[in-house]
Amino acid sequence: GGLRTPSETLGVRWSDVIWDQDRMRVPSPKTARKGKPERFVPLFPELRKQLDELFDLAPDGADFIIPRAVRAEVNMRGKMAQIVRKAGFVPWPRIFHNLRSTRQTELTETFPAHVVAAWMGNTVDVANKHYLQTTDAHFAAAAGSCVKSCVNGTEMDRSTLKPQNDSMQETSGNVVFPEEIAVSETAYGLLEETRRLA
């Protein structure tokens, strides 16, 4: 859900989950000072699955979704780092902030930035400055669609492209090399072919 941890995570109650509307109320102490004491996030399929399982395990009359962590002595960051190390990985610094950042980046790939910012309880400017990431997947996707592409089972790469003519062309005062024209036109053609096949 992209909640701030621990401040928001610990405050969510079972009564905040609105099952029939596929959303969850998130009380937000941080934004309450700015007149926004709460927001709503969708019950994303992966979130709903976890909540369904937790609900089945919760004792009758349970109030908070994460009851153990409500106790002041629980150090969630330390516990999470311990779990990550036990799994054989190195914990990220600022682990919960980085998890939230990753979620904001993932959601922005699918939904408009202003919608994701509303769900996350921040602004598009804050997201751009502090949350959105450039990932290896972005590089891979860009390379896969522009430099190497597979259309109808035929792989093409830049080395196979031929200049359309032997001279440089001028466009709007900018020098454009023929090879760049060929690459641009090929990439555009591949994009159109991909759209057609989809």
Side-chain angles (χ1 to χ4, degrees), residues 10-192:
L10 301 186
V12 183
R13 293 175 154 88
W14 284 114
S15 57
D16 292 320
V17 182
I18 310 168
W19 302 99
D20 60 344
Q21 294 181 27
D22 292 320
R23 62 189 66 193
M24 181 173 70
R25 177 186 167 273
V26 178
S28 180
K30 182 173 183 175
T31 59
R33 292 171 292 189
K34 298 174 183 174
K36 297 179 180 177
E38 64 183 29
R39 68 178 184 280
F40 290 85
V41 300
L43 290 183
F44 303 104
E46 60 274 33
L47 175 59
R48 183 165 192 139
K49 179 177 183 289
Q50 299 297 323
L51 288 174
D52 282 339
E53 291 176 13
L54 284 173
F55 187 76
D56 289 342
L57 295 171
D60 290 342
D63 187 10
F64 290 96
I65 292 177
I66 308 176
R68 277 189 334 153
V70 174
R71 299 198 312 263
E73 67 268 20
V74 173
N75 178 341
M76 292 183 74
R77 286 182 186 86
K79 205 65 161 161
M80 180 60 115
Q82 202 175 36
I83 291 167
V84 171
R85 286 191 194 96
K86 214 172 198 178
F89 299 98
V90 177
W92 291 332
R94 302 180 67 202
I95 193 164
F96 290 118
H97 175 85
N98 278 305
L99 288 169
R100 186 168 143 81
S101 168
T102 298
R103 187 56 171 157
Q104 183 138 20
T105 302
E106 290 170 350
L107 291 173
T108 304
E109 298 291 317
T110 307
F111 302 98
H114 71 285
V115 171
V116 178
W119 291 340
M120 299 290 288
N122 56 27
T123 65
V124 174
D125 286 344
V126 166
N128 286 334
K129 190 172 181 182
H130 300 289
Y131 287 91
L132 297 180
Q133 306 167 19
T134 301
T135 67
D136 288 343
H138 291 131
F139 281 91
S145 62
C146 297
V147 179
K148 288 189 175 180
S149 296
C150 189
V151 176
N152 294 335
T154 305
E155 187 178 86
M156 300 180 69
D157 67 40
R158 190 178 176 105
S159 64
T160 66
L161 300 173
K162 303 290 183 207
Q164 293 181 337
N165 58 47
D166 294 331
S167 63
M168 290 189 297
Q169 298 181 12
E170 295 235 359
T171 308
S172 304
N174 297 323
V175 175
V176 179
F177 292 89
E179 184 185 356
E180 291 172 352
I181 295 169
V183 170
S184 297
E185 290 176 354
T186 302
Y188 179 77
L190 292 171
L191 179 62
E192 290 302 305

